[in-house]
Amino acid sequence: MRKTLLVGRHGVGKTTLKQVLRGEEIRYVKTQCMDYGDWLLDSPGEYAEVHGLGAALAIYSYEADVVALLIAADDDYSLFPPNITCMVNREVIGIVTKIGKAAPERAEGWLRNSGCKKVFHIDSHTGEGVNELKAYLRKQS
């Protein structure tokens, strides 16, 4: 699997997605610091939310093959500005989480506006879209 950095606000579903992708039982865990795993890097939401911590994400992106920007289908706004993906010299994909809670089209639009060319729709609790994401992350770049 390609090493993947998960980035998004708190509560977007980064840790839940990480647990599902690893085949673990889903349980709520607040990510307090960078979680280095086998091939997944789970970042605290505060790294994306607090301006002064954004530099940490830039540094961690150098350890990844893929950077995944996550937005929940029921989010009211996007943390990611237009064309932000050009700031990272890694592949950047978008992931819309919680697709069963709202219409995911708005969140996908925000991710595409941010520069994501490839966007996945995921429901970690039902498993919808998880196999497609796993297959994509297995591909060699």
Side-chain angles (χ1 to χ4, degrees):
M1 298 294 264
R2 294 187 286 166
K3 189 166 252 189
T4 305
L5 171 62
L6 303 175
V7 178
R9 69 165 186 80
H10 74 281
V12 77
K14 296 179 303 294
T15 301
T16 302
L17 178 58
K18 173 193 74 174
Q19 292 169 349
V20 168
L21 289 170
R22 288 184 180 161
E24 300 171 354
E25 177 184 343
I26 295 177
R27 59 186 177 81
Y28 176 76
V29 178
K30 170 65 181 104
T31 304
Q32 297 291 329
C33 59
M34 224 30 215
D35 178 7
Y36 284 90
D38 39 13
W39 56 277
L40 287 167
L41 298 129
D42 185 11
S43 65
E46 291 78 7
Y47 281 29
E49 296 171 325
V50 178
H51 179 73
L53 298 175
L57 289 174
I59 292 168
Y60 287 117
S61 73
Y62 287 107
E63 297 187 28
D65 302 313
V66 177
V67 175
L69 304 182
L70 282 75
I71 297 179
D74 60 352
D75 277 352
D76 293 328
Y77 60 92
S78 170
L79 287 177
F80 310 115
N83 299 313
I84 190 67
T85 61
C86 68
M87 302 297 290
V88 180
N89 66 353
R90 300 289 187 264
E91 178 183 5
V92 182
I93 62 171
I95 299 175
V96 178
T97 60
K98 303 180 183 182
I99 59 172
K101 293 194 172 193
E105 294 80 19
R106 180 175 64 170
E108 179 175 344
W110 287 332
L111 289 165
R112 292 201 182 279
N113 191 40
S114 295
C116 297
K117 305 258 187 286
K118 185 79 174 156
V119 177
F120 295 89
H121 291 228
I122 303 290
D123 186 316
S124 294
H125 293 281
T126 66
E128 185 176 347
V130 172
N131 287 336
E132 291 84 359
L133 177 59
K134 275 181 153 177
Y136 184 80
L137 294 175
R138 275 190 200 104
K139 291 181 181 177
Q140 296 300 315
S141 42

